[in-house]
Amino acid sequence: MGNNTVCECDYGFTKNLTTGLCQEQNPCDLESSCSKSATCTKINAIRFNCSCNEGFRGDGRVCYEIDPCQYKNGGCDQQCIYTAPGQRDCFCFTGFTNTTTGCTAIDVCQQNASLCHKNANCTMTYYPGQYKCICKPGYLNVAKDCFGTILERLIDLNKEDEELKGKLDISLKLLNSSYGRELMESGPFTLFMPTSDAFNASFSKAEMEELESSMHERQRIWRLNMLAVDLRTDQLANKTIYTLHGVGSEISSSFIEV
């Protein structure tokens, strides 16, 4: 009789169709019970281990995505944005910038030196991106500007103002040499400043020379153009006013308020 013996491979082994020999199988190549988000690791022919991939947690058979933002805000200082399992990006709120120490409020005063008037200090408030301007000691806040004495203001206008630049040279020279100290220390005053063209049109060369040499005459001219009070243009129009010289006048022509 022929040999009808049939050899079967033990459990965990499969027959190699080429050699006919039994070889150990890899259980991970078979349909394992590991999660799709896990890695299967062979232990032996019949045993294997499931471990969740990076960015996931669980027992390997069931794996959940890890959202780092759910634990201590992902280590972020302000905003934590989930990007992928186990991954996140950190962002700062508007008005803050990301530094090595976390989110720091942006100092707009350092970024832009022209936010405040030149005679004011720029100071950040408690809110990012916001600031306040505080006039330096000795300067008065007027709207968004900070002015010193009236003489300092006139000097600035003669240097910087588009409409008055260079037009107050004569007035400033005569004013400073007659009431300069008083205007630096006292006040308030309202001044009517004739432009250089107005002086040249009203006085001859000889009269201008006499005016420049006579303190009494210079002071008389300025007393006619000075009020010992601070008035706005709307308070001056169509009203009789009295200058330091004691002369009543009515403003009827146009002038520039500064």
Side-chain angles (χ1 to χ4, degrees), residues 190-193 224-227 231-243 247-257:
T190 296
L191 274 175
F192 302 101
M193 294 288 290
L224 286 169
N225 289 276
M226 189 183 304
L227 308 178
L231 295 178
R232 303 186 305 272
T233 54
D234 60 330
Q235 296 172 312
L236 292 171
N238 301 317
K239 180 184 296 185
T240 300
I241 58 174
Y242 291 89
T243 67
V247 176
S249 303
E250 184 172 323
I251 305 297
S252 57
S253 58
S254 61
F255 52 89
I256 303 171
E257 179 182 16

Side-chain angles (χ1 to χ4, degrees), residues 73-160:
N73 201 37
C76 297
D77 192 23
Q78 291 185 349
Q79 286 182 301
C80 180
I81 304 298
Y82 171 85
T83 56
Q87 299 181 35
R88 57 92 178 106
D89 283 333
C90 294
F91 295 94
C92 297
F93 296 131
T94 301
F96 291 83
T97 184
N98 198 3
T99 64
T100 54
T101 58
C103 294
T104 303
I106 297 173
D107 190 341
V108 292
C109 293
Q110 290 186 353
Q111 287 188 334
N112 189 349
S114 62
L115 288 173
C116 296
H117 190 266
K118 65 179 182 179
N119 296 324
N121 294 317
C122 183
T123 305
M124 284 186 60
T125 64
Y126 294 107
Y127 300 98
Q130 298 184 11
Y131 65 95
K132 60 181 178 180
C133 299
I134 302 176
C135 292
K136 297 176 182 178
Y139 291 88
L140 178 66
N141 177 255
V142 180
K144 293 184 179 180
D145 296 331
C146 295
F147 298 140
T149 64
I150 191 170
L151 191 58
E152 291 173 332
R153 175 61 175 153
L154 291 170
I155 292 172
D156 286 343
L157 289 170
N158 195 47
K159 290 180 179 179
E160 303 170 358

Side-chain angles (χ1 to χ4, degrees), residues 9-122:
C9 294
D10 290 339
Y11 180 70
F13 291 81
T14 57
K15 182 181 290 185
N16 188 306
L17 298 179
T18 303
T19 63
L21 299 177
C22 292
Q23 60 185 26
E24 188 176 271
Q25 67 182 11
N26 185 348
C28 293
D29 292 338
L30 305 176
E31 185 177 352
S32 70
S33 57
C34 293
S35 167
K36 293 181 179 180
S37 299
T39 299
C40 180
T41 304
K42 172 186 173 182
I43 298 177
N44 54 40
I46 59 175
R47 296 180 61 199
F48 60 90
N49 180 64
C50 298
S51 56
C52 294
N53 296 332
E54 185 176 358
F56 294 82
R57 62 181 177 83
D59 61 3
R61 299 180 184 275
V62 178
C63 296
Y64 302 95
E65 293 183 4
I66 296 175
D67 183 354
C69 297
Q70 298 299 317
Y71 180 72
K72 293 186 177 181
N73 201 37
C76 297
D77 192 23
Q78 291 185 349
Q79 286 182 301
C80 180
I81 304 298
Y82 171 85
T83 56
Q87 299 181 35
R88 57 92 178 106
D89 283 333
C90 294
F91 295 94
C92 297
F93 296 131
T94 301
F96 291 83
T97 184
N98 198 3
T99 64
T100 54
T101 58
C103 294
T104 303
I106 297 173
D107 190 341
V108 292
C109 293
Q110 290 186 353
Q111 287 188 334
N112 189 349
S114 62
L115 288 173
C116 296
H117 190 266
K118 65 179 182 179
N119 296 324
N121 294 317
C122 183

